């Protein structure tokens, strides 16, 4: 596959409802889409950076910069046999996993199309359907939260994850557990607690939670190992795990008993699969996390979730929970028993609606292999005003 062209677009997409975590509230997403052209085919992926550096160090704007100024020059015009070779092309780049994942994942879509197989199968996935759970944001009013839980259970979702933060934890979870004694329930703290909060977190042991996700610092595996020894509830790591080495360290140190795999956070499908394999070999269950993705990122999550170690319901839920209108067709749909069918058609298995992408695009850049210095750059102003600029220099 010769990488003939790369396009990067930023879209604005308004969420149906604001989503609150311990680090902030999101109402409108700035979605970055990567399109890669090779062998006469085009593949798509999403860069899952958030708007602010509050989940990880990347943001929409840092990812735009790293992608344009480093990822593209390292990859454009290069030939690879497999998408799994992309990390080699990009190995000089430290961190910036989400920006790197955008290119690799788009090429996985191309490779699956070229081979005429579903992306899930190219990745080695064997599951025909995946179990779906939901992640529910913090609510000022616990009555509203209870109603949200009720609604998602009625829709068929297999497990409920509740965001927590100091002051919105033990008493909230107590009420939810009292009302729903038997459901698969877990919490996600997004690093909102300190080691000194261990006694408070121990109170959550009373609620038979499946796990507590990322209670402590985003970059500290050691402290989670100390905390896990003090809790009956399994710790699940999200923010801490950026690659398979981290996964192995966390498991061997006893820092967690579950791992949340996110494609962007670990740098793409190859590393996600390596994290999965590391966990699978050690009997550690994994599940697929979410980053409030558009359908493009969601479709990649569905494919990855078909690997056999994804034994727990993930945060991959229906397009309709997030968007009035998604940018893929069909939209990601969840059955009444809380499952998503893994597509059987080649590539991503969902078509990108170019018309909807175009409507929502606020800026875009395209690069063609072999184009002379001063490649054309097209920019669309948020007002919708099309501008054509001539980019000078590299
Ligand atoms: O920690 O899993 C997280 C959203 C944004 C950033 C981090 C997280 C989340 C979610 C939502 O929990 C998952 C989703 O429904 O996409
Ligand atoms: Mg999380």
């Amino acid at each position: 596959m010769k990488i003939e062209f790369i396009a990067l677009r930023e879209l604005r997409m308004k969420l149906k409802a604001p989503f609150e975590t311990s680090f902030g509230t999101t109402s409108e997403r700035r979605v970055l889409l990567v399109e890669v052209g090779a062998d006469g085919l085009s593949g798509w992926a999403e860069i899952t950076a958030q708007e602010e550096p509050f989940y990880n160090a990347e943001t929409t704007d840092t990812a735009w910069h790293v992608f344009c100024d480093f990822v593209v020059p390292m990859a454009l015009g290069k030939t690879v046999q497999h998408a799994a070779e992309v990390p080699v092309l990009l190995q000089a780049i430290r961190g910036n996993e989400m920006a790197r994942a955008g290119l690799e994942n788009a090429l996985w879509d191309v490779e699956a199309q070229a081979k005429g197989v579903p992306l899930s199968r190219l990745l080695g996935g064997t599951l025909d359907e995946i179990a779906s759970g939901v992640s529910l944001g913090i609510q000022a009013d616990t009555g509203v939260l209870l109603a949200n839980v009720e609604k998602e259970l009625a829709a068929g979702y297999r497990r409920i994850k509740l965001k927590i933060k100091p002051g919105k934890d033990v008493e909230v979870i107590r009420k939810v557990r009292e009302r729903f004694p038997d459901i698969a329930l877990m919490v996600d703290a997004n690093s909102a607690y300190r080691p000194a909060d261990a006694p408070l977190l121990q109170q959550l042991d009373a609620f038979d939670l499946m796990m507590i996700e990322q209670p402590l610092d985003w970059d500290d595996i050691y402290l989670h190992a100390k905390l896990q020894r003090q809790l009956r509830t399994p710790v699940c790591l999200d923010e801490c795990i950026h690659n398979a080495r981290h996964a192995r360290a966390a498991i061997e140190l006893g820092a967690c008993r579950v791992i949340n795999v996110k494609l962007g956070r670990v740098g793409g499908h190859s590393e996600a699969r390596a994290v999965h394999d590391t966990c699978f070999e050690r009997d550690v269950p994994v599940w697929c996390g979410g980053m409030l993705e558009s359908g493009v990122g969601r479709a990649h999550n569905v494919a990855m979730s078909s690997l056999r170690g994804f034994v727990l319901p993930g945060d991959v839920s229906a397009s309709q929970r997030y968007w009035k209108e998604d940018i893929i067709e069909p939209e990601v749909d969840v059955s009444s028993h809380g499952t998503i069918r893994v597509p059987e058609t080649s590539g991503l298995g969902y078509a990108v609606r170019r018309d909807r992408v175009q409507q929502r695009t606020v800026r875009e850049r395209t690069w063609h292999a072999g184009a002379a210095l001063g490649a054309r750059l097209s920019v669309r102003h948020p007002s919708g005003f099309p501008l054509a600029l001539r980019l000078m220099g590299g």
Side-chain angles (χ1 to χ4, degrees), residues 161 163 188 190 213 238-239 260 262:
K161 162 170 138 181
K163 292 289 188 180
D188 185 359
N190 289 110
E213 187 178 343
D238 173 353
E239 281 88 329
N260 161 337
K262 288 182 181 169

Side-chain angles (χ1 to χ4, degrees), residues 94-115:
R94 296 191 179 174
N96 295 286
E97 291 85 358
M98 291 169 166
R100 289 191 273 122
L103 184 77
E104 185 191 327
N105 293 350
L107 216 59
W108 276 96
D109 179 16
V110 172
E111 186 177 344
Q113 291 175 53
K115 293 183 170 155

Side-chain angles (χ1 to χ4, degrees), residues 25 76 160 246 265 329 358:
T25 303
L76 190 65
I160 302 288
H246 289 170
R265 194 194 68 225
E329 209 167 66
Q358 210 49 48

